[in-house]
Every structure is written in C-alpha cells, then in structure tokens.
Amino acid sequence: MEIIWAVVFALLGMAVGSFLNVVIDRLPSAKSLVFPASHCGSCQQRLSAKDLIPVLSYLALRGRCRYCQAPIPRRLLWVEMGSGALFAYLYWLYGLSPDLAASAFYGCLFLVLMVIDLEHGLILNKIVYPAMVVALAINIFLPDLEVVPGIASGAGGAGLGLGLFLLIVIASRGGMGWGDIKMATLIGLVTGFPLVLVAILLAVVLGGLVAVVLLLLKLRGRKQAIPFGPFLSLGAMAALLHGTSLVDWYLGLF
Ligand SMILES: [Zn+2]
C-alpha cells in the first residue's frame, strides 16, 4: 500500500508542478492565473487536455509544440518532475499527516521563488508578503507540527533572518538586495530559531561553491551577480526537513 500512496503523491506533485509552471510564467508579468487558458507561447494555439498531461505530454511530443513545433521550455518538465519527486519524498518522510500538507505548501512556495529568481532575478513581494501571512497563521494555529516552529521561535527566526541579511547585504555591496532580505525574513518565520541559521549557512556555502565553479569554468564573469534566491530556497527546505538532524550530527562531531 505504501508504494501506491507514494506513486499517487508523485503524480499529484507533477499535476501541482504543472500549475506552479503557470504561476511562474504569469506572476512576474502580472498576468491572470486563470485567463487565458494554457496556450503555446509561440503560436498561441490553445492547448487541449492531451497536451497538458504533466511530464508525459512533454516526453510524447519530444519537447515540441504539437501545432507549430516550437520548442517547449525545458523548465516546464523540470518543475513538474521536481515537484513530483518532492511530493513523493515528503510522503515518505511524513506519511499522510498535517506535516505532509504543511511541508508540501512550503516546498511549492520555495520552488516558485527559486525558479522566478533564476529566470528573472526577482523575488516578488506579491509572493513573499502573502507567504509571510500564511506562515504566521500556520505558526499560530498549527504550532504542534514537526515542521512548524511555533510563534516565539518563528518570530525569533524572522528577526534573526532580517538582521543577519541586512548585514550580509551591506557587506556584499550590491551583490544582494531587498528581495533577499525579505526572503531571509520569510525563511526565519518558516523554520524558526535556530534552524534559520542552518538555512542561511547552507545557502551561503552552496552559493559560494556554485559561484566559484561558474567562475572557474568561465561561465560567469566576476562582475555578474548570481541570484541568491535559489540557494536560499534550497537552504530553507533542507533546514525545514532535516535541520534538526543536521544540527545533532554537527554537535556530535565534538
Ligand atoms: Zn505552438
């Protein structure tokens, strides 16, 4: 039975991923999430149900529009597969539980923030502010969940994320911006204290490693800023799901 549920959540995750792709496409340019219906970005042909089956449509069409043969952005496939894998993994971690619902919500949130920052270099207020309100409500009304820090810890985490990132932004002199500060505050609210430190530390280490590799491979110049939101997203999810074990493991080294 377990495996059937895992498959069900993988499929659900892919379907959710296909909606997240619409969110990622439309929110940065202030388009409606509902109208118009899904269409090819190239020939504008309205897509039918068989064109919109997550993952499978992309593979069956070999990544090209059925009507005009224009390439379909590969990101659509990655987000659907990533979201499917994430949902199956969260089911494996938490089973059918409120923790599964809360962690899936945060997973979708950080996935959307990550991809929009990668594609546009933007961390949108219209995502971050409502997400803060939802995270606050979750902290107040569902404080007993494993993935929820509760009110005091959430407030402490938010304050620390804000303060720490103000310092980082000042120190980085333009490498990061207000979007990163707001996102660090949101992450503090979501993970609480002390896990916000784990999230930021992981993000800084991962971002630094990637920056060095890109520089060595000459894929980016020294002056080009790398969006930091994707690393914050990954750090936040790692801290949310495994932060406590990471801290225990680290303290066990001494
Ligand atoms: Zn087309």
Side-chain angles (χ1 to χ4, degrees):
M1 264 322 274
E2 286 290 292
I3 187 73
I4 297 177
W5 277 109
V7 171
V8 167
F9 274 95
L11 294 175
L12 178 68
M14 289 182 207
V16 170
S18 122
F19 172 71
L20 298 180
N21 273 319
V22 176
V23 173
I24 292 164
D25 278 332
R26 299 191 184 186
L27 271 193
S29 50
K31 289 179 188 151
S32 157
L33 293 181
V34 192
F35 299 107
S38 294
H39 53 273
C40 169
S42 186
C43 67
Q44 313 305 325
Q45 167 70 41
R46 187 171 164 174
L47 300 178
S48 66
K50 66 178 173 182
D51 303 319
L52 293 169
I53 304 163
V55 181
L56 292 182
S57 294
Y58 185 97
L59 297 178
L61 295 168
R62 294 205 181 83
R64 289 184 175 275
C65 170
R66 186 191 301 280
Y67 309 98
C68 72
Q69 308 301 317
I72 302 168
R74 195 164 292 180
R75 181 256 290 165
L76 300 188
L77 179 67
W78 292 128
V79 167
E80 286 167 358
M81 295 207 307
S83 170
L86 177 71
F87 274 50
Y89 182 60
L90 294 175
Y91 169 73
W92 181 71
L93 280 181
Y94 300 116
L96 285 175
S97 67
D99 275 299
L100 175 63
S103 59
F105 168 75
Y106 287 134
C108 293
L109 168 68
F110 288 120
L111 184 60
V112 167
L113 285 170
M114 169 156 92
V115 179
I116 291 181
D117 198 17
L118 269 178
E119 292 189 347
H120 301 277
L122 287 174
I123 294 168
L124 298 175
N125 287 339
K126 59 184 157 185
I127 298 175
V128 172
Y129 290 152
M132 284 176 175
V133 174
V134 174
L136 193 63
I138 290 176
N139 283 348
I140 293 172
F141 295 111
L142 300 166
D144 297 326
L145 299 194
E146 204 178 312
V147 296
V148 175
I151 305 165
S153 170
L160 193 62
L162 175 69
L164 208 55
F165 245 74
L166 267 174
L167 294 179
I168 292 178
V169 166
I170 293 168
S172 78
R173 294 178 194 194
M176 293 181 214
W178 275 105
D180 298 301
I181 298 178
K182 291 173 202 160
M183 191 164 162
T185 311
L186 168 66
I187 289 170
L189 206 52
V190 170
T191 62
F193 178 85
L195 291 188
V196 64
L197 294 174
V198 176
I200 291 176
L201 187 68
L202 287 174
V204 168
V205 170
L206 201 59
L209 282 175
V210 170
V212 167
V213 169
L214 290 179
L215 209 61
L216 288 178
L217 297 175
K218 299 201 160 67
L219 291 174
R220 291 238 177 196
R222 205 171 276 276
K223 293 270 154 81
Q224 275 173 294
I226 297 170
F228 199 62
F231 303 111
L232 279 174
S233 283
L234 291 172
M237 281 313 283
L240 189 67
L241 304 181
H242 299 295
T244 311
S245 334
L246 278 171
V247 170
D248 288 346
W249 168 80
Y250 183 74
L251 294 177
L253 292 177
F254 302 100

